[in-house]
Amino acid sequence: MRIAVDAMGGDLGPRATVAGAASAVMADPELDIRLFGPAARLEEELSRLPRPLAAASSHLSIENAPGEIRQDQRPAEALRRGRDSSMAAMLACLARGEVQAGVSAGNTGALMALSRRALGTVAGVARPAISTAIPVDREGRCYLLDLGANVDVEAERLLDFALMGDVMARHVDGLARPRVALLNVGVEGTKGTASVQRADELLRERDDLDYVGFVEGDGIFAGEADVVVCDGFVGNAVLKASEGLAKMLVRRVQATFEAHWTSRLVGALARPALARLRRELDPVRYNGASLLGLNGIVIKSHGGADAAGFHYAVARAAQEVQHGLPERLADELRLRRSVVDSATSGDRADSGSRTSGSAATDSGGVGNRQQVQR
């Protein structure tokens, strides 16, 4: 399996991405990874790999790309001036079909803009969405989208997000009929913005989704839905708040057990359980967000991810390759839209037939009465 990596993206640069890619190879020897960035710098990072990761070098190759997209660079500027960047070169390699997925921890806006230009979208998707899995109650997980690609969206886009999230949950997680919900400020039908209200109406008309209605923020983590849909502003805020809360809880629990000798004794006994809790809540395990709707697999790693976090992002890319996610997404969205279009055309034809019938009847008494009322 061939994966391309933008090695220059992220706060920690190639130190994290190269080590993370090597770690992913050690976990899955079927991977072959192309690292994009300044060749001399990447060769230096490869030479610094610790001995446990050194064996991965035979599965890592370097593609020289001297330019770099800055974290503060605007997407429009990246489109105009970023053609020699490691991010653009990685995406061009993916577009040519030389690799099966791309991974970057770089500038999110630039990655989305460059990805859309290089790959296009599937099945008429107007705006790709960023989606990731977050841990929920009973050791489950929930897909949340959008996470920042689309800050302010109309109802039709929220419907697209729901359809794409449903496909991902079924094919990647094997859920027969994922529960889909709209994130809102309340579960009452009168709550929410105009776009959320309209999206609720559109989703209730679908019989190909298990739409469960509105869900509030606490309902996400209670496991009330398998796919939760929202605009990018809200989704990004929820994601970042949940990551911060998880880290704070782990620190608080650890500090509590270290505060006194008696609690340290209890902590020693509870160490296996605490280690399991830390693993379950650690946002690193869920690093790697999908840019859903692109005609190709692109994974966005958290900008602050270390080598362990980037490892999970590469593993996420490999998982989507195994499930052929873009192809499945394209096929299902085309099928669902054709069914809806056929039904709509049928309704219009029926409506036309009824109108003709009514016109004929109107030549008699009913039509005359209606004309008098008008």
Side-chain angles (χ1 to χ4, degrees), residues 79-128:
L79 286 170
R80 289 195 307 269
R81 303 179 181 177
R83 292 186 181 275
D84 68 338
S85 67
S86 55
M87 183 184 291
M90 175 269 288
L91 291 168
C93 180
L94 176 59
R96 292 192 299 268
E98 297 173 9
V99 294
Q100 295 157 285
V103 185
S104 175
N107 181 316
T108 304
L111 181 63
M112 180 62 79
L114 290 170
S115 296
R116 288 182 67 185
R117 183 174 70 182
L119 303 171
T121 59
V122 297
V125 171
R127 300 291 299 272

Side-chain angles (χ1 to χ4, degrees), residues 268-315:
L269 296 174
R271 189 170 293 130
L274 291 174
R276 186 170 64 251
L277 177 64
R278 186 181 295 109
R279 287 194 302 271
E280 290 174 357
L281 294 181
D282 190 354
V284 165
R285 290 185 61 220
Y286 298 90
N287 184 46
S290 308
L291 272 58
L292 276 182
L294 292 171
N295 189 23
I297 296 172
V298 178
I299 301 298
K300 170 66 174 73
S301 170
H302 196 295
D306 59 8
F310 200 80
H311 170 148
Y312 281 104
V314 174

Side-chain angles (χ1 to χ4, degrees), residues 291-349:
L291 272 58
L292 276 182
L294 292 171
N295 189 23
I297 296 172
V298 178
I299 301 298
K300 170 66 174 73
S301 170
H302 196 295
D306 59 8
F310 200 80
H311 170 148
Y312 281 104
V314 174
R316 177 71 198 185
Q319 186 180 32
E320 292 194 10
V321 171
Q322 289 171 350
H323 290 89
L325 191 60
E327 294 81 7
R328 292 181 182 274
L329 194 63
D331 291 343
E332 292 210 20
L333 289 182
R334 288 194 193 98
L335 178 61
R336 290 180 177 191
R337 282 177 177 154
S338 65
V339 170
V340 171
D341 290 344
S342 298
T344 302
S345 300
D347 289 343
R348 287 174 180 166

Side-chain angles (χ1 to χ4, degrees), residues 55-71:
S57 297
S58 60
H59 291 262
L60 302 174
S61 60
I62 293 174
E63 300 285 344
N64 186 48
E68 183 178 347
I69 300 293
R70 303 187 314 274
Q71 289 290 355

Side-chain angles (χ1 to χ4, degrees), residues 178-251:
R179 299 162 298 159
V180 179
L182 272 174
L183 185 60
N184 203 354
V185 294
V187 297
E188 299 88 353
T190 57
K191 297 288 183 71
T193 63
S195 61
V196 169
Q197 289 284 328
R198 174 58 181 154
D200 176 63
E201 295 174 4
L202 294 175
L203 286 165
R204 290 187 185 280
E205 295 172 357
R206 309 286 305 209
D207 57 6
D208 55 348
L209 290 174
D210 184 10
Y211 177 59
V212 297
F214 295 141
V215 65
E216 295 182 81
D218 59 340
I220 298 175
F221 302 100
E224 294 179 7
D226 303 302
V227 176
V228 174
V229 177
C230 57
D231 66 55
F233 184 92
V234 172
N236 191 271
V238 170
L239 178 67
K240 297 297 174 59
S242 66
E243 290 176 348
L245 177 61
K247 292 176 182 177
M248 184 271 289
L249 285 174
V250 170
R251 288 195 300 266

